[in-house]
């Protein structure tokens, strides 16, 4: 369904969940986020905490995505079995890598790589007649110069729905760390967006704060993750500490 | 040590931890809070999550308090055995109640009610020669008209270090729910602060947002809890959702 | 909403969740149960596992109730803060006990006993303008001869929506343990149902297996809990073991 | 079965489990302990961690007891439903208190107070035909002068199998804290042992280290708990630290 | 010991544990299952929940196996260190793969690949003098046409004790998804059984319900896993829901 | 900081934490250990339990290291994001392997392989201006003849601070299992120490008990891990069991 909303051109705003807390995720979802990305790459939570967070996001009315720690097949299939609506794959540098990873989004043998176990939560506990045909949202992070160079190929991969620019790693690699307006970063970003759109896919990115969102929309992004729950607490704590 | 800081007249600002998340607590502590109150009365966490939160608060440089669910002896002694530096007791309506509760802050038989088990974390794992003599911070919530009426007596109770006005429950009972400037609420609040100061104790209260802190300081409060981690996430989530 | 369904005369069937497992609860809910009762009286789970189970029940389309371990105020208010849609109170023997307990279902001072903390999950994270006025479903277990004798009074208590016959304890006390058709048990049961209906309330009960459900409906029960998740596993395991 | 061993005059040695760790409990059990007491009064674990520890003790070949935080009925019935083979009740000061508590060890109405729920682990998941008749080991801590004075009456209470001297609290109350050889402590201890034996019950106590065990046996104790898992780690850690 | 029972030709029936719940596992074991397979490939639990489930299976009298998520060395050695009596490896397609994986079942350098750490639970906490020589049960899933083609070679691998047909994935790959009586599936299955028996190994498979067990025994299978705990709950829940 | 202490030639003594228990870790740390190694290779805990153990070690005044299960990049970066001060990598057999692994200790693109996410605990929640430049302690286990042969090359790898001899695996491979004084083991050990010192790095090793520590210091080791928390409990339990 998030797949359909993005395909229809809708702009969605969400955040990363780095605490590993279901309460935090539901609070964010009820506050109005369109999606939450449970972060298993850099978040403090881990796979043992994914399920309650998925439940919490869904109950709060948000799409529940998972950022896996790597493109290893099992990390993606486990998150899908738990019921993630989509997967964010970090550090994808080539179309071949994207293609190999995307197989894990599909059931069965090649081009699928996901075991056909229909009793899982992700398959509706065996009660969903359409389980085999559902396709989760596939999001690929573009966060290196190599990935930018390969972005047209990546965008063409079946199963990849969103090219997601990771601006921290990309800017670091480009030598302009967190200089969000640096021309090289902007050029790379524009190239990724163009590749995504050219292939009929969506583009996504990370904004440190809500202030960057309008510019991200202008730049053509439609899956926009703003900060993390941890960052909201740090910012809030600083304001509290400064009130004295 | 928080006891000594309050006794010395220092003003301390902190927050309630309602998520039950150690990561959240450490983030808030590192952001500069003086103290964190792990909330077992209304928070989503429970006793099974207290210990990591205490560790996190302390590592982050904040005093670690626990708000227990009631004045029942075991709730307080359990939190102290886990190493809480102080206890916040809700819904105390009389000096007798305060006195009965405060016994749980002291080891041994009457006037103490805490079992002499020195191997606990709260007693330094048997390695702290002064464990028996340490006194945790005792905070009593004043949140009903009866409690306001009894506040002088409560302030005089040995072991009670802070009278903490609970403005939500108190204003609700006074018929002026969350009308922070209502004269009746202000009068009740002033009376509690005066009782605390008259007995050489500190006064504390809850502020929904940092904006109320300066007024709280002016009113004589020195232990000021601002919002909760959950509320920071709701506010942050709303800002993110509104950015689109 | 379960309140409204029962008030409208709907018959609802559910089960007790004794595993403490959110996955189990969601599986049962998706299989078609109208409600799940997270069991903190005899279940293997405890309060630290309630929240994911509530999320799971709701996500699966079932009403999420909690059976608390006793009528102690904090057990009920904690479950409500976590978001339970209703509370099942065990071992209530008199109208006075029911009345004292039911206060915990309402916010504020007498006749309420629930602290006015609106940032909790149960109050919609501060985002639900009607939170203060919501009333959870109040279910009282009638499981002793004394309770049967007092059932008219209990049925009249404000906040009690359902009189729930506990047939195991009641039959044991009547000396006809699990003799479901024993005349004394039937007479007691009928008296409770009549008391409930006489006061415009619903009647509920426990059926060990689905086979007893039609008779329970005939007897006037409309909140019918069938077995437990653990019992389903034991029965299933026995069938598997016998297949060899 | 531990009941039978103590009744047969066997001397059993065990320890308190204060870490809340199933691995720790199984390691201790496999090392040869006769019993482990999962400590919910002063231990760092809580009820959410009891079940794995019971499994671990049993698998390791040790009897699995639980020390509850207080004599409140629910604390004991919960531990029994989880499958504890016996309960250690702290701070019992009179025969009336012991009697009221012991009711929770028996199913049914007075003199029982335990709900007849036979699907629990403690009742063999509904598969144990003798569940209703089983009686757990009842251990009562004698740790105040009042309790010593009342020990004959306490020893006579049906359901109390062991009078367990708590030497830390008792010596503290007698003004001879941890002076294990103080004549007043010895006299009180001897009186408790005599009361137990006089009523045909066993006597138990706590020894800080194994060195005190022979004297405890000589003094007539047969349920002897030596230290805690935490204390073993502290002692071991000090030896490691001193090796450099 | 399960190794010896299978080698002796015994037929064993069990189930997959997909909930990640120790209570569920013990309930199934006590109901009479010969073995339980803790499922880390498609189950909702994960490695953090394995230990209590192993304890529960063993306490309930069942052999405790673990299905790992993949043949990666660490997944198998971790499960063995926790004390699994055997490992089920999914998606093995060749003898080389089986051989590489089976090295993880043995201590030491090639042909072993398991670190010699004898303090683990799997090695008896350092108290088992035979730990180094124990060999866990090695079960390899045959669930692709390639695996069927390679099954003679796989059956010959040292350390592989059971060839386990995964009928869902295999039938899907053969184009006859869950058509259990499809001739192609039957032929493939027969070939695997023959290969196993030819090499003096056992054959195993999965049956969705107990009704298929007799046929599976007839077909030569002796390690027969029937359904999952989750599936039992779904089936039970549907029966409950249909009772109204 | 542990980096600096070792570089300054200090000898540090610690232990492995195999229980996965934060309480155990803090108890060991407060007892005087210089460091604790949270063991994810052979310990019973897993990544979901790392964070509280790191907090506990730090609070207890010990350096907090993590032994990862393998040299896979994600295992190291996850532990660093959680805040480990150093990483112990098992089973490294060549300089190339060490070099590939060590990249995960550094942020950014080659020669770094760690994603630049500065909001993690390991990066000070975004509040540490020097986060990008910090270098964790890199410890490489030398536990095979191949590794001994390659130790000069391994010692030269940038990011490797300590060569840590794993005497159990190494002696097993050399055919002199746990014969700590076997000449072949001693020769291999001496060679590793010489290689470490030759490259200006430290040498570390494991001692089963404190008795071996002085000899280890004499042999040139300065990062000395003595036993495990589990082993301390087994030894302690045996002493208790023998006291009767
Ligand atoms: Mg499969
Ligand atoms: Mg005591
Ligand atoms: Mg209040
Ligand atoms: Mg009952
Ligand atoms: Mg090794
Ligand atoms: Mg990145």
């Amino acid at each position: 369904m998030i797949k359909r909303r993005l395909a229809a051109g809708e702009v969605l705003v969400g955040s990363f969940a780095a605490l590993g807390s279901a309460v935090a995720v539901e609070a964010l979802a009820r506050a109005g986020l369109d999606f939450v990305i449970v972060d298993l790459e850099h978040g403090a939570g881990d796979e043992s905490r994914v399920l309650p967070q998925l439940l919490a996001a869904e109950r709060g009315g948000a799409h529940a995505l998972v950022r896996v720690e790597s493109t290893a097949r099992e990390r993606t299939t486990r998150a899908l079995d738990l019921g993630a609506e989509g997967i964010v794959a970090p550090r994808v540098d080539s179309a071949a890598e994207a293609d190999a990873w995307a197989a894990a989004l599909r059931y069965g043998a090649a081009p699928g790589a996901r075991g056909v176990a229909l009793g899982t939560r992700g398959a509706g506990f065996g009660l969903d007649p359409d389980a085999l045909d559902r396709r989760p949202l596939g999001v690929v992070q573009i966060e290196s110069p190599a990935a930018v160079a390969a972005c047209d190929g990546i965008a063409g991969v079946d199963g990849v729905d969103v090219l997601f620019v990771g601006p921290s790693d990309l800017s670091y690699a480009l030598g302009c760390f967190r200089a969000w307006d640096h021309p090289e970063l902007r050029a790379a970003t524009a190239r990724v967006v163009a590749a995504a759109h050219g292939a009929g896919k969506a583009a996504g990115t990370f904004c440190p704060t809500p202030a960057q969102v309008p510019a991200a929309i202008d730049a053509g992004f439609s899956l926009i993750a703003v900060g993390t729950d941890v960052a909201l607490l740090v910012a809030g704590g600083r304001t509290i500490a400064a009130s004295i």
Side-chain angles (χ1 to χ4, degrees), chain A:
Chain A
M1 177 174 156
I2 190 177
K3 223 170 151 115
R4 246 175 291 152
R5 291 178 73 182
L6 286 169
E10 222 178 311
V11 175
L12 304 178
V13 70
S15 189
F16 281 96
L19 287 168
S21 160
V23 187
V25 166
E26 191 176 4
L28 286 173
R30 294 217 182 263
L33 297 197
D34 294 311
F35 64 90
V36 174
I37 305 175
V38 176
D39 187 9
L40 301 182
E41 189 195 13
H42 292 300
D46 54 43
E47 280 186 19
S48 70
R49 294 168 175 248
V50 167
L51 182 47
Q53 292 181 77
L54 298 182
L55 285 164
E58 295 163 10
R59 266 302 286 167
H63 301 287
L65 312 181
V66 170
R67 178 160 75 174
V68 289
E69 68 176 29
S70 75
T71 53
R73 193 188 76 89
E74 290 78 14
R75 301 285 62 75
T76 286
T77 54
R78 294 284 303 151
L80 292 175
D81 280 356
L82 291 172
E85 193 183 339
I87 305 291
V88 181
R91 301 170 78 91
V92 174
D93 284 342
S94 69
E97 234 179 295
D99 198 53
W101 167 70
L105 301 170
R106 290 183 291 261
Y107 280 109
R114 193 177 167 194
V116 182
L118 300 187
T120 65
R121 179 173 194 265
F125 297 104
L127 299 168
D128 175 0
D130 302 324
L132 272 178
D133 299 324
R134 296 199 190 286
R135 289 284 172 276
L137 186 78
V139 182
V140 156
Q141 287 191 189
I142 305 295
E143 43 187 336
S144 74
V148 173
C151 67
D152 289 302
I154 295 173
V157 169
D158 184 31
V160 170
D161 299 302
V162 183
L163 298 195
F164 189 98
V165 174
S168 286
D169 276 324
L170 184 54
S171 66
Y172 188 89
L174 293 173
C176 56
F177 188 46
R178 298 208 165 169
W180 311 118
D181 293 327
H182 193 282
E184 228 176 314
L185 181 60
R186 286 181 160 254
T189 295
R191 185 169 165 193
V192 176
V193 173
H197 291 176
K201 307 292 177 70
T205 195
F206 172 81
C207 293
T209 71
Q212 287 91 21
V213 171
I217 297 173
D218 286 351
F221 292 107
S222 56
L223 185 79
I224 302 173
V226 183
T228 70
D229 45 10
V230 172
L232 287 175
L233 293 177
V234 170
R238 286 163 72 91
T239 308
I240 293 172
S243 71
I244 206 169

